[in-house]
Amino acid sequence: MSKPFLSIENLTQIYPDGQGGDLTVFENANFGIEKGEFVVILGHSGCGKSTIMNILAGLAEPTSGVVKMDGFEVSGPSLDRGVVFQNYSLLPWLSSLKNVSFGVAARYKDWSKQKVLEHSKKFLAMVGLEGDVIHRKPSQLSGGMRQRVSIARAFANEPKLLLLDEPFGALDALTRGTIQDELLKIWGGTEQTVFMITHDIDEAILLADRILLMTNGPYAQVAESVEITIPRPRSRTEIVEHPNYYAIRNHLVQFLGQRSKELAGKREGETPKAPATIRIDKTGSEEDPVPSAPLRAVNT
Amino acid sequence: MFDNLSVNQRAAVLSVVMLVVGLLIWEAAIPAQKAAAELTEYERLTGGGAPKAGVPPPSQVIAKAWEQLSNPFYDAGPNDKGIGIQIGYSIYRVLTGYIMAALIAIPLGFLIGMSQVAYKAFNPFIQVLRPISPLAWMPLALFIIQDSEASAIFVIFICSIWPMLLNTAFGVANVRQDWVNVARTHELGYLKTAFTVILPAAAPTIVTGMRISIGIAWLVIVAAEMLVGGTGIGYYVWNEWNNLDLTSVIFSILMIGVVGMILDLAFGALQRAVAYVE
Ligand SMILES: Nc1ncnc2c1ncn2[C@@H]1O[C@H](COP(=O)(O)OP(=O)(O)OP(=O)(O)O)[C@@H](O)[C@H]1O
Ligand SMILES: [Mg+2]
């Protein structure tokens, strides 16, 4: 099997637990992400999702293990890996446009000022920000607008890998829906690889090609990799009618509600282990007499 | 009629009323000073009952102000210069010492704020040097520099350096890690990060330090000039006191207040210019 675009190998993170001992957040995490894939990671609070993302971004160093992108080891942050931070992290003294254009100028150093501004405006327009809104400071924008600026900033840099840490965490359901659609629209037009953290199962199913499930920490593992067997383009209203939707959703709910706890703290030993691939496909399952193992997992 | 005015207008009216009433009481209190036994306690406490030392009524001070301000830049020998020239000397000394302090304090504060080691290494020196009254440096400065003019500037330098140094270091050290991470993910270099992220993020704290410093510098220059003599508003106050010209003393005290206020307003405007809302 050829190496995936992004490969996470034997990643282990140990923090001091504050009482003189060690806290192993996760151990020997192994998984890969293909080019152009949209991967969402789900897991309970504190299992180490943000830690993994910071390591992928190059903002933090793992205790051991490596991350390779395109065959090269990740060390330190890079313009090839764009990050949308959970709390937007816009620079409050710059206008929305400047928040995007300073990144574009850092990425394309040889571009003229004019070109940088046009490119930035194009991406702001893609997330629905046009007109005088883009000259306002972040403090003068709503939470949803700030989030869009943050997404525009990351996409405008056209990174090979886009890392999103609970990007819609602070938004109401309505705004969330709009920005999810915008995110899919922009992503659909590019060859970008996306790695996203969320707490929202429906959001994960709507957006992802594949969902990684993490068990609870400490010693959290990336236990399963669930394929989302619902064809694109997807829309919020139509996917619920797809025969696979509830099967997948039940599987996820069941994992997060029960098995993530049962599997928690179980050390798999030193042997590196890739997450089990789960493929739930009920389309035409009537003709298929052999029940697949993952389906049984759903029904238990 | 009063109800129709905005808060600012009402406050302005009240300020004018207080000024006029205050001046009237002052004016009325002066001729009454001989009859000390008849004074109310309030008047005694407000100085109305001071023994005759020639405290001038406000009308005299206003006349003096008019005279001085209509020709502020005359120069009739070392002991007789216009108020504008004296204030000019003081401002020149304050700004020279202050700018030198800023040129050292802000870059140094930046380095100290960026590095925990530097912060800890510099901290004991700062803690010992900072509480020293700037005037305590004066004898040493006079001895080493051997020049009263430069010594006064040195005293301004030494008193204005600490608030700027500490505020810059504090502001830089407390820039939100999120913003630094934004710079890192955009591969901004060391200098680029310093100027495009850390400086604007820490600017409000730095300018607050600069504002405190200019206030202290203006307080200290008056005392320093009383000591070194020659020129400047501090020397002027002391000189007029020696001449027993209390009208000029009161007038120059007011001028010190006005100039201090203008300096503070200028830095207040700068503060608003660099402020941001998170
Ligand atoms: N700098 C640190 N020092 C010590 N422990 C840390 C540090 N950062 C994170 N941790 C611990 O690591 C664990 C994982 O944290 P992380 O932020 O990755 O969780 P998460 O999965 O992103 O949670 P959430 O969904 O709530 O954001 C937590 O138990 C946390 O206490
Ligand atoms: Mg997190």
Side-chain angles (χ1 to χ4, degrees):
Chain A
M1 183 182 131
S2 72
K3 284 256 172 166
F5 165 67
L6 184 76
S7 79
I8 285 83
E9 298 167 13
N10 298 330
L11 214 59
T12 300
Q13 181 66 53
I14 301 173
Y15 283 124
D17 67 357
Q19 291 147 31
D22 284 340
L23 169 76
T24 305
V25 182
F26 48 82
E27 195 174 46
N28 282 327
N30 281 281
F31 60 93
I33 297 176
E34 299 297 334
K35 199 167 187 76
E37 225 183 350
F38 198 128
V39 173
V40 169
I41 192 159
L42 275 174
H44 282 282
S45 184
C47 68
K49 305 181 297 293
S50 294
T51 308
I52 291 186
M53 176 156 295
N54 280 335
I55 293 168
L56 295 188
L59 291 169
E61 288 268 309
T63 309
S64 67
V66 288
V67 175
K68 284 184 187 158
M69 188 163 91
D70 268 342
F72 293 101
E73 200 173 309
V74 164
S75 65
S78 150
L79 281 164
D80 283 336
R81 277 165 278 124
V83 188
V84 174
F85 295 93
Q86 181 161 13
N87 46 13
Y88 325 135
S89 289
L90 298 175
L91 304 177
W93 54 89
L94 297 180
S95 69
S96 310
L97 178 60
K98 289 257 178 64
N99 259 291
V100 177
S101 68
F102 105 93
V104 176
R107 170 93 196 182
Y108 304 104
K109 294 196 175 63
D110 50 339
W111 282 12
S112 70
K113 215 169 179 174
Q114 189 59 34
K115 194 167 179 195
V116 166
L117 284 182
E118 266 165 30
H119 185 81
S120 310
K121 282 184 184 159
K122 188 176 99 189
F123 277 84
L124 280 163
M126 275 187 208
V127 293
L129 295 177
E130 278 171 292
D132 66 323
V133 184
I134 62 175
H135 299 293
R136 288 196 219 150
K137 303 254 168 83
S139 59
Q140 298 160 321
L141 300 178
S142 71
M145 288 171 167
R146 287 182 215 179
Q147 192 61 72
R148 292 181 214 199
V149 176
S150 173
I151 290 171
R153 177 172 70 187
F155 272 93
N157 269 8
E158 298 170 325
K160 289 183 189 161
L161 173 65
L162 204 61
L163 301 163
L164 312 171
D165 191 346
E166 287 186 45
F168 313 130
L171 303 183
D172 63 280
L174 224 61
T175 319
R176 220 170 223 255
T178 325
I179 305 186
Q180 284 165 354
D181 292 342
E182 277 153 5
L183 179 62
L184 277 181
K185 213 169 62 203
I186 305 176
W187 174 71
T190 61
E191 267 300 282
Q192 267 154 345
T193 311
V194 181
F195 182 81
M196 170 168 153
I197 298 176
T198 179
H199 276 132
D200 183 333
I201 291 178
D202 295 306
E203 176 173 284
I205 300 175
L206 174 69
L207 298 176
D209 291 319
R210 204 147 58 82
I211 296 178
L212 297 173
L213 292 170
M214 277 184 92
T215 62
N216 293 0
Y219 299 105
Q221 299 153 27
V222 181
E224 290 184 1
S225 157
V226 181
E227 280 181 43
I228 307 302
T229 46
I230 300 174
R232 292 184 193 271
R234 303 173 189 156
S235 85
R236 216 178 332 283
T237 44
E238 284 163 19
I239 55 167
V240 294
E241 280 157 24
H242 194 274
N244 292 344
Y245 180 81
Y246 279 102
I248 293 171
R249 192 173 193 285
N250 287 343
H251 180 81
L252 299 175
V253 169
Q254 208 263 342
F255 180 94
L256 291 173
Q258 200 178 334
R259 289 198 303 125
S260 64
K261 277 187 224 91
E262 291 166 8
L263 293 169
K266 264 193 216 151
R267 298 183 66 178
E268 295 286 327
E270 297 305 298
T271 44
K273 190 172 150 286
T277 301
I278 310 288
R279 185 181 163 82
I280 299 167
D281 195 352
K282 287 203 156 178
T283 49
S285 65
E286 261 87 22
E287 294 94 345
D288 185 2
V290 190
S292 59
L295 263 180
R296 248 182 282 122
V298 177
N299 295 332
T300 46
Chain B
M1 174 210 132
F2 202 68
D3 294 331
N4 298 334
L5 300 177
S6 75
V7 173
N8 284 344
Q9 288 167 326
R10 284 191 229 179
V13 169
L14 200 58
S15 295
V16 171
V17 169
M18 285 195 287
L19 179 69
V20 170
V21 169
L23 290 178
L24 284 177
I25 292 176
W26 178 6
E27 184 82 41
I30 300 300
Q33 53 181 278
K34 271 177 198 153
E38 291 162 26
L39 287 177
T40 63
E41 185 168 17
Y42 171 73
E43 284 166 321
R44 260 198 297 281
L45 285 173
T46 52
K52 184 177 163 82
V55 174
S59 50
Q60 268 184 42
V61 176
I62 291 168
K64 182 84 190 174
W66 182 257
E67 175 202 327
Q68 284 283 344
L69 292 178
S70 50
N71 185 16
F73 297 111
Y74 75 90
D75 188 350
N79 275 338
D80 192 10
K81 294 190 201 322
I83 187 84
I85 291 185
Q86 304 288 22
I87 288 179
Y89 273 112
S90 299
I91 291 179
Y92 156 74
R93 289 186 189 122
V94 162
L95 289 186
T96 310
Y98 180 83
I99 288 169
M100 283 184 346
L103 288 180
I104 292 180
I106 293 173
L108 188 62
F110 231 89
L111 294 181
I112 294 176
M114 299 275 257
S115 141
Q116 284 214 357
V117 177
Y119 191 90
K120 292 201 164 145
F122 275 99
N123 199 37
F125 298 103
I126 296 174
Q127 295 308 330
V128 171
L129 295 177
R130 190 175 57 119
I132 298 172
S133 162
L135 293 174
W137 292 96
M138 188 61 101
L140 194 63
L142 283 169
F143 177 75
I144 294 176
I145 305 175
Q146 304 258 325
D147 176 69
S148 62
E149 172 79 21
S151 298
I153 292 173
F154 172 77
V155 166
I156 295 303
F157 166 83
I158 205 81
C159 77
S160 43
I161 199 166
W162 308 117
M164 285 195 271
L165 185 63
L166 287 172
N167 268 43
T168 306
F170 182 82
V172 168
N174 287 287
V175 171
R176 289 235 321 251
Q177 188 59 39
D178 293 334
W179 299 336
V180 179
N181 281 346
V182 169
R184 291 178 66 201
T185 53
H186 287 92
E187 289 185 32
L188 300 188
Y190 198 76
L191 275 182
K192 192 99 206 256
T193 305
F195 281 106
T196 58
V197 177
I198 297 183
L199 188 61
T205 321
I206 296 175
V207 173
T208 302
M210 295 174 76
R211 193 175 179 183
I212 296 171
S213 279
I214 198 78
I216 294 178
W218 188 245
L219 289 181
V220 166
I221 193 64
V222 175
E225 285 170 346
M226 285 180 177
L227 280 177
V228 298
T231 48
I233 190 75
Y235 166 75
Y236 180 82
V237 174
W238 202 248
N239 195 39
E240 296 305 327
W241 158 240
N242 285 336
N243 296 340
L244 273 179
D245 181 356
L246 282 179
T247 315
S248 292
V249 169
I250 293 173
F251 165 65
S252 46
I253 288 174
L254 288 175
M255 288 310 293
I256 292 171
V258 169
V259 173
M261 184 184 79
I262 290 170
L263 288 175
D264 192 62
L265 283 178
F267 278 85
L270 182 60
Q271 217 168 15
R272 276 192 299 282
V274 299
Y276 56 83
V277 189
E278 272 184 47

